[in-house]
Amino acid sequence: MFFLYFLSEVMMKSQVALFYVLIIMNEGSAQSLKPRRSVFFSDVNLKLFKEPDFNGLSSLLVREDIGLLFVGARGKVITLSLDDITVKTSEVNWTVTSKEKALCKVKGKSIEECDNYIRMMHTLDDGRILVCGTKAFNPTCTHLMFEEGNVTMEDSFQNGRGKVPFDPNENFASMVNGNTLYTAGSINFLGTVKSFQRHGRNTLRTEPIWSWLNGPNMISMKFAEISKHSNNNEDDNVFLFLTEIKIEAQRSNLRLSRVARVCKSDLGGLRILQKKWTSFLKARLDCPFGDEGSASLVQDVFFLQDENNVTDSIFYATFTLSTEPSSTCSQSAVCAYKLSDIQQVFRGNFMTFTDSGSWVRYTGTVFSPYPGSCINDEMRTSGVRTSRDLPDSTLLFVKNHPLMEQVVTPITGKPLLVRSTAQFSKIVVDKVTSLDGEQHNVMFISNNSGWLQKAVWSGDDGGRIIEDLQLFQDPQPIRFLQLSRRGQLYSATRTAVAQLSVRDCSRYTSCADCLIARDPYCGWDHLKGLCAAVAGASNFSMIQNLIDGDAIMCPSSHSVSMQITDIHLTADVAQFLPCFPDANLPISWSFSGKILEPGPRHILLSQGLVLTPSFTDEGIYTCETVEVVKGREHKKAVIQYQVKIGRQGGRYFSTHLFTYSLIIVSFGALGVIHMYKHWTQKSPNHVRCGQCGSDPCTNRAIASRGLERAKSTVENRFVVK
């Protein structure tokens, strides 16, 4: 019996010590921008749709007018209720025949690739949905109709080549304006020829030369109604965001981010650039972060339109780093760009290709009208009513000079926020009105591990992540994000769809927590005694402070004294006192009412205290979170220990026994390090590094998994009351 007790204690202490080692590993890593609170899957209030045969999810469409979420997947389109996505309302199958699949396989494609993946769905003016699928590498389009509560598919089909890619895994971009479809992607079976096109009566496409598009990866397309607020009735714009191989340097494989622009009413040229864009211009899109030798690559773009002046609208974009082979860093960032700044770049200097094979600033004569300009009143007065009225000299210049000299820079000159623990994927932004009538832009940023960051940015204190929410239990890329006017966020991976209310304030359990978090959606309802959404609420019942989160506004209450945990420690033996706050905040320790400073007997860590006690160290130890907002310090007690010191032997843990546990821990730590090295080599989302500019990569993910496993052991077994 003594041996079993001995072994049990050794294993228990080993787990505690291993927990200590994992914390030190985590402490030693540099910090990136941390969320205030991380909420794991089991604690997130969301709805999840998932079926056994549901996979290959490849498109998502919100139809608020009929209250449905359309989900395009492998061989089917299903509809879910916008109010509750667990309610499936219809399913329309659109599969390939055995003959089509056999022909596809003959062409060298796999069984999976030869299915029909619904890659595109857009609502047309008449309410029908244009839907296109890869159809066994034979892109095909048709329409979905919603009548009397039923979703049906038309019997007629159209060639979808150039509208969606042949390859179900290829990135592409598309949008519909009215009934006009714009697409950017490959137009051939091999995926080697890519084009930015407008379909319909006046079909246009990019000139098939490398200076226009050089190995592009299409990301996103946005429409800006410039004419609505233009003083000279300038034509509306269509923006394409992409990455491509750098053309400014010879023999370079470096990819850069670009933004390209065309004019909505472009009709092509009369003789030169027939059925080609006459307004296609592109510029480098810069989001400066990371170490030298890396380029930031745009991953997704959200266009937040300004209702009063469209030129004040903002493009929010996620970026990841493209690193040189020598670099070992992986980071992500969000940058924001003002529409008027992009317009200014397209009115600037052109680059020209020289005989020496390099691109330099064009210093020759610039033709009138200004090449690439969208039609406006001034041009109409001069006789240029459409692009077909443009002189051949202007069109020839546009054909040979698609690249602008100036770089599009973010509105702050730097990213709104940077993280190094997961790769950002999609982004949506919601404009929220707080109780004081001010508007705040709340960003929802997904990553490749199934998590969602809820963040805000202000000029006073920069970017901050309010919450980090785990939407999917298994780590997997979030491929789609859609936000409804009802305050519901819909996200999807390849196998599941999640629904989340962005106005959920239930995770803030006290008035102080509700206000200090400075969540624009939430305020403290002092009549109901809970944190609730401020939308539609009155200032009479609600309080909110987004400036400094001052909790002094909270109603006074009689605080309940915290229960003190009695523990018995052994003199001169290093032992761990855990402290797990419910938020990702720094902690401080006090001993008998005085702040505890680091020393030989006190090692202060972010998850607890390593104490090597003497008999003078008996007393009360208090762990508190410390949060500083606008210079004001907020403290909250997490746990208190009444420490009693005993001699070695007896019922206390002996030095020899602890030595054995340290031997086991040494092997355990080596195993953790080995696992960490293996994991960093395997995972594309987390890589080891030294310094990446001012925000290095971290090993937080591997350490946090160990911390979570060890945490329960520490909480359940280490503390002896």
Side-chain angles (χ1 to χ4, degrees), residues 123-427:
T123 303
L124 304 178
D125 283 346
D126 60 6
R128 291 184 303 165
I129 295 174
L130 173 65
V131 53
C132 299
T134 57
K135 206 69 162 49
F137 272 73
N138 182 27
T140 306
C141 297
T142 186
H143 295 93
L144 292 175
M145 297 169 293
F146 181 79
E147 295 175 346
E148 299 179 354
N150 297 317
V151 177
T152 58
M153 181 177 288
E154 286 185 351
D155 295 331
S156 59
F157 300 93
Q158 301 86 40
N159 191 327
R161 298 188 181 194
K163 296 179 181 178
V164 292
F166 290 71
D167 188 336
N169 298 311
E170 180 189 315
N171 287 340
F172 83 110
S174 67
M175 59 160 269
V176 163
N177 176 249
N179 286 325
T180 303
L181 174 66
Y182 297 80
T183 65
S186 64
I187 59 175
N188 67 333
F189 178 85
L190 296 176
T192 54
V193 180
K194 299 192 178 184
S195 181
F196 174 22
Q197 301 183 76
R198 183 180 68 203
H199 303 266
R201 290 177 53 192
N202 297 302
T203 301
L204 291 182
R205 63 176 56 185
T206 44
E207 185 75 12
I209 53 179
W210 67 276
S211 60
W212 281 43
L213 294 172
N214 190 29
N217 181 24
M218 310 302 189
I219 301 298
S220 183
M221 203 179 293
K222 304 298 175 186
F223 177 78
E225 198 174 4
I226 303 296
S227 58
K228 190 174 182 179
H229 297 106
S230 174
N231 294 326
N232 59 1
N233 295 312
E234 183 181 345
D235 190 19
D236 297 330
N237 292 179
V238 177
F239 292 94
L240 171 65
F241 295 85
L242 68 151
T243 68
E244 68 170 354
I245 298 172
K246 184 178 181 180
I247 66 172
E248 293 93 319
Q250 290 181 304
R251 295 180 294 277
S252 172
N253 291 321
L254 181 67
R255 297 191 74 85
L256 298 176
S257 297
R258 304 279 196 201
V259 55
R261 186 226 62 192
V262 296
C263 308
K264 174 184 175 180
S265 300
D266 196 334
L267 298 177
L270 188 61
R271 288 172 292 274
I272 297 173
L273 293 178
Q274 290 184 13
K275 296 188 177 181
K276 305 293 194 306
W277 296 108
T278 66
S279 54
F280 179 86
L281 298 175
K282 65 179 180 179
R284 182 179 175 184
L285 190 70
D286 189 32
C287 184
F289 70 102
D291 58 358
E292 214 169 311
S294 61
S296 53
L297 298 184
V298 61
Q299 302 297 309
D300 190 36
V301 179
F302 183 87
F303 185 43
L304 187 65
Q305 297 199 56
D306 189 294
E307 297 175 359
N308 300 317
N309 187 353
V310 68
T311 60
D312 288 334
S313 302
I314 303 294
F315 295 96
Y316 289 84
T318 54
F319 289 82
T320 59
L321 284 185
S322 169
T323 58
E324 295 290 348
S326 59
S327 176
T328 54
C329 290
S330 178
Q331 289 179 282
S332 293
V334 175
C335 278
Y337 307 88
K338 199 171 182 179
L339 175 55
S340 58
D341 292 340
I342 297 178
Q343 287 182 308
Q344 193 62 37
V345 169
F346 288 128
R347 298 188 187 107
N349 296 317
F350 294 89
M351 298 288 281
T352 188
F353 190 65
T354 65
D355 294 336
S356 62
S358 60
W359 287 82
V360 298
R361 177 201 270 192
Y362 175 77
T363 57
T365 303
V366 177
F367 301 94
S368 181
Y370 202 78
S373 296
C374 293
I375 304 296
N376 56 35
D377 284 344
E378 184 181 345
M379 294 171 67
R380 296 183 186 100
T381 302
S382 66
V384 180
R385 306 189 66 82
T386 74
S387 60
R388 291 175 182 169
D389 298 324
L390 290 168
D392 288 350
S393 56
T394 300
L395 296 178
L396 190 61
F397 185 90
V398 169
K399 178 179 178 180
N400 296 323
H401 301 83
L403 182 62
M404 308 307 295
E405 179 195 31
Q406 193 176 346
V407 174
V408 178
T409 56
I411 53 177
T412 58
K414 60 182 180 180
L416 302 184
L417 56 90
V418 178
R419 288 207 73 188
S420 59
T421 53
Q423 287 189 333
F424 288 161
S425 51
K426 302 298 180 179
I427 182 171

Side-chain angles (χ1 to χ4, degrees), residues 96-116:
V96 298
T97 65
S98 56
K99 183 179 178 180
E100 289 172 324
K101 185 167 288 191
L103 182 61
C104 177
K105 289 171 64 179
V106 167
K107 296 176 182 178
K109 303 304 176 182
S110 68
I111 295 178
E112 281 198 354
E113 290 175 316
C114 290
D115 269 311
N116 185 27

Side-chain angles (χ1 to χ4, degrees), residues 419-440:
R419 288 207 73 188
S420 59
T421 53
Q423 287 189 333
F424 288 161
S425 51
K426 302 298 180 179
I427 182 171
V428 296
V429 182
D430 193 17
K431 188 173 287 187
V432 183
T433 302
S434 55
L435 280 179
D436 58 8
E438 294 293 320
Q439 289 194 324
H440 307 266

Side-chain angles (χ1 to χ4, degrees), residues 648-702:
Q648 299 174 10
R651 65 182 290 261
Y652 298 101
F653 199 67
S654 73
T655 305
H656 297 296
L657 189 55
F658 191 73
T659 302
Y660 296 145
S661 72
L662 286 179
I663 293 173
I664 297 173
V665 167
S666 299
F667 284 104
L670 289 173
V672 169
I673 293 170
H674 174 74
M675 288 169 57
Y676 173 65
K677 287 181 178 179
H678 175 75
W679 176 76
T680 54
Q681 291 169 355
K682 287 288 185 183
S683 172
N685 296 336
H686 304 271
V687 293
R688 248 179 337 149
C689 71
Q691 292 292 326
C692 295
S694 60
D695 185 25
C697 315
T698 72
N699 59 2
R700 188 189 74 158
I702 184 65

